[in-house]
Amino acid sequence: MPWRTGPRDRAAGVRPDPYRVWLSEVMLQQTTVAAVKSYFLAFTERWPTVTALAAARDEDVMAAWAGLGYYARARNLLKCARVVAQDYGGQFPQDHATLLTLPGVGRYTAAAVSAIAFDDPQVVVDGNVERVMARLHDEHTPLPQAKPVLTGYAAALTPVARPGDYAQAVMDLGATICTPKRPACGLCPWRAPCAAWAAGTMAELPKKAPKKRKPTRHGIAYLARRVDGAWLLERRPDKGLLGGMLGWPGSDWSDDPAEAPPIRAEWRELGEEARHTFTHFHLRLTVKTALVPMERTPDRGDFIEAPDFSPSDLPTVMRKAFDLAQGSWSKVR
């Protein structure tokens, strides 16, 4: 993993870069390692230090983040970088309590940065660690109620020496051996003391409370293209879903969205919906397209010239709408 400093390098005196540790941990929240790698490499090549990131334009960072999801993380990433650059001279504070005061830094991220970057024996608990602890102790209390109990188990095992290496080792154990399905117990270095292995309950753990059914919301996305190839886009408000991201003008997202075209045009409704699932609801977007003349002025949003527009800058749900609309332009014309 490109953000890791291995034990051999650590023994040779190489210290983990707190910026790279923090950046990777923020990116990895609710996202897989495979998905994060290319984004991490692109970010660190473009913004190699927290000071460089702090000086970046908001729209550039949001565009670079597009596709990773959970866009509040990107907004907090910038806020945190700017606080570190302005208030701490571009150096992440080593004190755990101070780390917790930084924008977007919660208990998990602060503990991970403290342990991995600064050798502070904080208790690092993510989903992988929870699964390992639940099986190691044969703990059947369902999540999320079990979180304090599992954190207590993890705390009892966290060493004073090399806490960062230990934290990463347990997370890797959960990600590669003590996996959610079909754990490779035959390869596990903790098989002997594992209570779930002894009881034969590995596949049942960790227990989870039943999930609530996600509601479905509906909306309308308006994709207007000017005759010169420019696209009509608007930047969403900083607060709320997809905050600060470029997107297609649209309606509210509700059970019965009201029409809200951003410009006067002959709108054509596509026969397909752009479907996307957020954390708390499913979204179905009706996609409408229009070709508009040069002199037409939008009621909201701005036209972006074709050379300046890249679909990859859009959040996933907006890119899905764009992909659906691509085949319609020849028909519109």
Side-chain angles (χ1 to χ4, degrees):
M1 300 179 194
W3 47 83
R4 288 278 180 89
T5 302
R8 187 172 299 174
D9 288 336
R10 290 295 306 274
V14 179
R15 303 286 298 178
D17 181 352
Y19 168 63
R20 294 171 71 89
V21 174
W22 162 76
L23 179 62
S24 67
E25 293 298 341
V26 174
M27 286 185 166
L28 285 165
Q29 293 168 19
Q30 306 292 329
T31 312
T32 65
V33 169
V36 163
K37 279 186 179 180
S38 61
Y39 283 88
F40 178 86
L41 291 171
F43 261 73
T44 51
E45 180 177 354
R46 189 171 182 180
W47 302 296
T49 65
V50 69
T51 305
L53 180 61
R57 297 191 311 162
D58 289 43
E59 53 266 36
D60 290 341
V61 173
M62 299 304 288
W65 191 273
L68 266 181
Y70 298 90
Y71 295 98
R73 293 181 298 165
R75 299 195 298 275
N76 284 328
L77 194 80
L78 267 176
K79 291 178 183 176
C80 182
R82 287 165 181 165
V83 168
V84 172
Q86 294 168 11
D87 297 349
Y88 298 98
Q91 302 294 321
F92 275 85
Q94 297 189 27
D95 177 64
H96 178 256
T98 306
L99 283 171
L100 281 167
T101 68
L102 298 176
V105 175
R107 287 190 299 177
Y108 167 76
T109 303
V113 173
S114 293
I116 298 169
F118 301 126
D119 283 328
D120 182 356
Q122 296 294 325
V123 183
V124 182
V125 181
D126 69 351
N128 289 312
V129 176
E130 288 177 340
R131 184 167 56 257
V132 171
M133 293 300 127
R135 289 172 175 169
L136 187 62
H137 295 273
D138 197 29
E139 177 61 58
H140 287 249
T141 304
L143 287 166
Q145 296 97 311
K147 284 182 178 290
V149 176
L150 299 178
T151 299
Y153 291 149
L157 291 171
T158 299
V160 173
R162 298 174 61 195
D165 287 343
Y166 168 79
Q168 292 174 102
V170 179
M171 289 190 282
D172 287 353
L173 183 69
T176 60
I177 293 177
C178 194
T179 51
K181 297 179 180 178
R182 300 178 185 175
C185 298
L187 300 175
C188 184
W190 272 356
R191 184 178 65 174
C194 181
W197 165 258
T201 57
M202 307 84 65
E204 303 173 22
L205 301 174
K207 299 278 189 181
K208 294 183 180 179
K211 290 184 178 181
K212 293 182 180 179
R213 186 177 179 181
K214 290 183 180 181
T216 298
R217 298 180 188 175
H218 299 265
I220 306 168
Y222 296 93
L223 279 68
R225 193 176 191 184
R226 208 165 55 190
V227 292
D228 66 344
W231 296 89
L232 180 60
L233 291 139
E234 67 177 359
R235 193 166 297 280
R236 295 178 65 84
D238 285 338
K239 292 186 177 180
L241 279 173
L242 309 182
M245 299 294 293
L246 273 179
W248 308 112
S251 68
D252 60 324
W253 297 347
S254 62
D255 292 335
D256 186 22
E259 291 276 357
I263 192 171
R264 183 169 55 85
E266 293 182 12
W267 293 100
R268 296 178 68 258
E269 182 175 325
L270 300 186
E272 299 178 88
E273 294 176 322
R275 299 188 177 192
H276 191 70
T277 296
F278 292 98
T279 305
H280 301 297
F281 66 94
H282 303 293
L283 177 65
R284 295 185 176 183
L285 283 181
T286 297
V287 180
K288 296 191 175 186
T289 63
L291 192 66
V292 298
M294 291 292 296
E295 65 275 8
R296 194 70 53 85
T297 302
D299 296 324
R300 68 180 196 273
D302 298 287
F303 280 104
I304 294 181
E305 302 297 332
D308 298 326
F309 171 71
S310 173
S312 63
D313 290 347
L314 299 173
T316 302
V317 64
M318 298 296 176
R319 195 162 63 248
K320 288 178 179 178
F322 174 80
D323 291 342
L324 286 177
Q326 277 297 282
S328 74
W329 294 111
S330 58
K331 298 176 184 178
V332 172
R333 289 171 180 169

